[in-house]
C-alpha cells in the first residue's frame, strides 16, 4: 500500500539519516565546542522568540498583541541573563555526558526501542477503549420514548461505567508510557554512574554497564519505577477527565451551571499544579534509583538533599542543556526532511514534496529526540555524581 511504501522508502532512510547525523554531531563536534554550541543555541532561541513576536505584531497590530509580545521578549531576555553565568558549567556537563554516552552508544538503541513502545501501546489502548465503550452502549439500549430508561441512565448506571472505563484506560495509557520513559532514565543513570566511577566496565558499545543497567531497570528497580510512575499517571488521567467534563458542561446548555463550572476549573487547576512537581521530582529520583539502586522513597530523600544544596544550579543546567539539544534536534530534523525530498527527486517513490519533507521531518525528529533525551538524562546523572563526588568532574 501507499502508506507502507512511504514508511519503507521515506521513513526508514530518513530515520537512518537522522541517527547518523545526531551521532556525528553529538559525538564529534559538540564535545569539542560545547561552550559555543550552548551559547549559540541560547542566543538563537531568543532571536527566534523575538522574530515570532515581530511577526505576531505585524499580522495582528493591536495594543494587547504588542504588550504581550513585549512582555514575552522581556521575560525571555531576563531569564537568559540569569542563565548566562551557568553556561561554562552546563557546557562542561554536556561535553562529559556526550563523552560517556558515546562510549556506551548501545544505550541509544535501547532508548529508541523503549520510545517506540508507547506509540504501539497508545493505538492498542484506543482500540480496546473504543471497543469497551461501544459494547457498554450496546448492553443498555435506551428508547427515546422511555422516560424511565432516560432517568435511570442519567442517574448513574451506564454513565458511571463509561467514565470508569475511560479513567482506567487513561491510567493504563499514561502509566505504561511513563514507565517506559523512566526505564530509559534508570538505565541511562546506571550507565553514566558506572562510567563516572568505573570506566573499565563502561567503554564499549554494549558494555557490561549497558546490559547490567538495563537488567536492573526491568527487574530489581522495576517496582520503584512503576510505583513512582503511578502517581503522575493518576493525576494526568484525572486532569484529562476534568477537562472532558468541563467541555461537556460547556456544550450542554441544560446541565451547565456556574457552580459546577467553577468547581471543575478549580480541580483542573489543582491537578495541573500537582502534575508538574511530580514529574520534575521523579526526573531526579530515578537518577538515584539508577545510580545506587535505592528504593523510590529513599531516592526521593536524596533528591530533597540535592535540591537543598544545588537547587538553582540543577534548574539552570537542565534548561541550558535542553535548549541546546532541542535546537540541534530541530536542525537535524530539517536535514532529515530534506533527505526525504531528495529521495522523491531521485524517483525511488512518488509523493508530493511537502508530504515527503513532513514525513522525513517527523521520523527524523523522533529518532533525534530519542537520542537527545538520552543525553539530557545523562547530564542529570552527571550532576548528581558531581554533587556526591566533586573531584570526579574536576578530573
Amino acid at each position: 500500500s501507499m502508506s507502507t511504501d512511504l514508511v519503507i522508502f521515506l521513513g526508514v532512510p530518513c530515520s537512518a539519516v537522522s541517527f547518523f547525523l545526531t551521532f556525528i554531531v553529538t559525538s564529534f563536534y559538540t564535545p569539542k565546542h560545547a561552550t559555543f554550541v550552548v551559547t549559540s543555541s541560547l542566543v538563537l532561541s531568543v532571536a527566534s522568540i523575538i522574530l515570532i513576536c515581530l511577526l505576531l505584531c505585524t499580522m495582528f497590530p493591536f495594543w494587547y498583541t504588542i504588550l504581550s509580545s513585549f512582555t514575552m521578549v522581556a521575560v525571555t531576555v531576563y531569564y537568559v541573563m540569569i542563565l548566562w553565568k551557568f553556561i561554562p558549567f552546563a557546557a562542561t556537563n554536556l561535553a562529559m555526558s556526550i563523552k560517556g554516552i558515546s562510549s556506551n552508544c548501545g544505550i541509544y538503541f535501547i532508548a529508541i526501542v523503549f520510545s517506540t513502545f508507547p506509540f504501539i501501546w497508545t493505538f492498542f489502548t484506543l482500540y480496546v477503549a473504543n471497543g469497551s465503550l461501544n459494547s457498554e452502549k450496546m448492553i443498555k439500549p435506551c428508547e427515546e420514548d422511555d422516560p424511565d430508561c432516560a432517568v435511570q441512565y442519567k442517574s448513574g448506571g451506564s454513565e458511571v461505567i463509561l467514565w470508569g472505563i475511560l479513567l482506567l484506560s487513561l491510567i493504563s495509557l499514561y502509566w505504561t508510557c511513563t514507565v517506559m520513559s523512566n526505564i530509559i532514565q534508570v538505565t541511562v543513570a546506571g550507565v553514566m554512574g558506572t562510567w563516572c566511577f568505573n570506566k573499565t566496565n563502561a567503554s564499549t558499545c554494549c558494555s557490561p554497564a549497558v546490559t547490567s543497567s538495563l537488567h536492573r531497570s526491568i527487574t530489581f528497580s522495576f517496582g520503584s519505577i512503576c510505583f513512582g510512575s503511578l502517581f503522575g499517571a493518576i493525576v494526568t488521567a484525572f486532569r484529562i477527565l476534568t477537562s472532558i467534563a468541563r467541555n461537556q458542561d460547556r456544550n450542554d446548555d441544560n446541565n451547565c451551571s456556574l457552580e459546577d463550572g467553577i468547581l471543575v476549573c478549580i480541580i483542573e487547576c489543582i491537578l495541573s499544579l500537582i502534575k508538574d512537581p511530580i514529574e520534575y521530582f521523579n526526573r531526579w529520583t530515578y537518577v538515584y534509583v539508577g545510580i545506587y539502586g535505592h528504593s523510590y522513597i529513599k531516592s526521593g530523600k536524596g533528591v530533597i538533599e540535592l535540591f537543598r544544596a544545588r537547587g538553582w544550579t540543577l534548574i539552570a543546567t537542565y534548561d541550558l542543556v535542553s535548549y541546546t539539544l532541542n535546537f540541534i534536534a530541530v536542525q537535524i530534523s530539517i536535514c532529515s526532511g530534506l533527505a526525504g525530498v531528495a529521495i522523491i527527486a531521485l524517483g525511488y517513490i512518488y509523493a508530493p514534496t511537502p508530504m515527503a519533507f513532513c514525513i522525513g521531518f517527523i521520523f527524523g525528529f523522533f529518532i533525534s529526540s530519542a537520542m537527545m533525551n538520552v543525553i539530557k538524562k545523562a547530564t542529570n546523572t552527571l550532576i548528581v555524581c558531581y554533587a556526591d563526588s566533586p573531584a570526579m568532574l574536576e578530573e
Side-chain angles (χ1 to χ4, degrees):
S1 62
M2 183 64 178
S3 59
T4 304
D5 292 340
L6 288 175
V7 171
I8 295 175
F9 292 101
L10 276 180
V12 174
C14 291
S15 298
V17 169
S18 178
F19 179 85
F20 286 111
L21 284 178
T22 304
F23 184 78
I24 291 172
V25 170
T26 55
S27 298
F28 299 102
Y29 181 79
T30 304
K32 296 180 181 179
H33 309 280
T35 302
F36 172 76
V37 172
V38 173
T39 304
S40 59
S41 299
L42 194 60
V43 172
L44 289 174
S45 65
V46 176
S48 300
I49 293 176
I50 294 175
L51 179 61
I52 292 173
C53 290
L54 289 176
L55 291 175
L56 289 175
C57 292
T58 304
M59 296 173 62
F60 307 99
F62 305 108
W63 67 268
Y64 50 84
T65 305
I66 298 174
L67 180 61
S68 59
S69 299
F70 178 79
T71 304
M72 183 184 299
V73 171
V75 171
T76 303
V77 172
Y78 177 73
Y79 187 59
V80 167
M81 292 174 61
I82 295 175
L83 292 179
W84 200 265
K85 63 180 180 180
F86 294 98
I87 288 178
F89 182 74
T92 303
N93 278 274
L94 177 61
M96 290 191 63
S97 300
I98 292 175
K99 185 178 179 181
I101 292 299
S102 299
S103 300
N104 302 270
C105 57
I107 190 65
Y108 283 136
F109 298 99
I110 295 174
I112 292 173
V113 170
F114 278 91
S115 298
T116 304
F117 185 80
F119 290 96
I120 301 174
W121 188 255
T122 298
F123 287 110
F124 175 76
T125 302
L126 292 174
Y127 177 78
V128 173
N130 181 65
S132 300
L133 293 173
N134 289 333
S135 63
E136 178 58 30
K137 292 178 182 179
M138 294 175 61
I139 291 174
K140 189 175 175 53
C142 189
E143 300 293 338
E144 295 182 358
D145 57 349
D146 188 354
D148 295 333
C149 178
V151 171
Q152 184 179 2
Y153 177 80
K154 291 181 180 180
S155 64
S158 297
E159 188 172 5
V160 175
I161 298 176
L162 293 176
W163 282 101
I165 293 173
L166 182 59
L167 175 62
L168 293 177
S169 299
L170 289 173
I171 292 176
S172 172
L173 174 62
Y174 285 99
W175 193 12
T176 303
C177 294
T178 307
V179 166
M180 294 297 106
S181 176
N182 290 331
I183 287 176
I184 300 173
Q185 173 65 85
V186 173
T187 305
V188 172
V191 172
M192 280 301 298
T194 305
W195 182 83
C196 288
F197 299 109
N198 184 13
K199 291 183 175 59
T200 304
N201 293 327
S203 57
T204 59
C205 178
C206 297
S207 63
V210 175
T211 55
S212 61
S213 297
L214 177 60
H215 179 261
R216 286 198 308 270
S217 299
I218 59 179
T219 54
F220 300 109
S221 299
F222 192 69
S224 297
I225 293 173
C226 293
F227 179 70
S229 303
L230 180 61
F231 296 112
I234 293 175
V235 172
T236 302
F238 275 102
R239 182 184 176 188
I240 293 177
L241 285 183
T242 54
S243 179
I244 294 174
R246 177 167 55 84
N247 294 331
Q248 192 177 53
D249 287 340
R250 184 181 300 170
N251 296 329
D252 191 353
D253 297 332
N254 296 327
N255 295 333
C256 182
S257 64
L258 179 62
E259 294 81 3
D260 293 341
I262 293 175
L263 179 61
V264 170
C265 288
I266 292 174
I267 294 175
E268 189 174 6
C269 182
I270 293 174
L271 292 173
S272 300
L273 294 175
I274 294 174
K275 178 177 178 292
D276 292 338
I278 288 178
E279 291 180 350
Y280 197 84
F281 182 79
N282 283 346
R283 180 187 302 157
W284 297 97
T285 300
Y286 287 119
V287 172
Y288 276 87
V289 173
I291 296 175
Y292 303 109
H294 293 163
S295 65
Y296 180 81
I297 301 298
K298 188 175 181 179
S299 298
K301 295 178 181 178
V303 173
I304 294 174
E305 295 297 327
L306 178 65
F307 269 92
R308 287 177 179 174
R310 302 178 176 274
W312 180 244
T313 303
L314 297 180
I315 298 173
T317 304
Y318 181 81
D319 284 350
L320 282 171
V321 172
S322 296
Y323 273 129
T324 303
L325 296 179
N326 291 338
F327 177 77
I328 295 174
V330 171
Q331 303 306 311
I332 291 175
S333 301
I334 293 174
C335 294
S336 180
L338 294 176
V341 174
I343 293 173
I344 295 298
L346 292 174
Y348 290 104
I349 187 174
Y350 173 76
T353 301
M355 179 185 294
F357 179 83
C358 291
I359 293 175
F361 184 91
I362 292 172
F363 276 86
F365 188 75
F366 170 75
I367 297 297
S368 184
S369 296
M371 298 174 69
M372 294 303 179
N373 283 332
V374 171
I375 301 176
K376 291 179 186 178
K377 298 175 191 303
T379 304
N380 294 343
T381 306
L382 193 63
I383 294 173
V384 172
C385 293
Y386 174 68
D388 290 343
S389 180
M392 177 272 303
L393 185 60
E394 295 174 359
E395 294 176 358

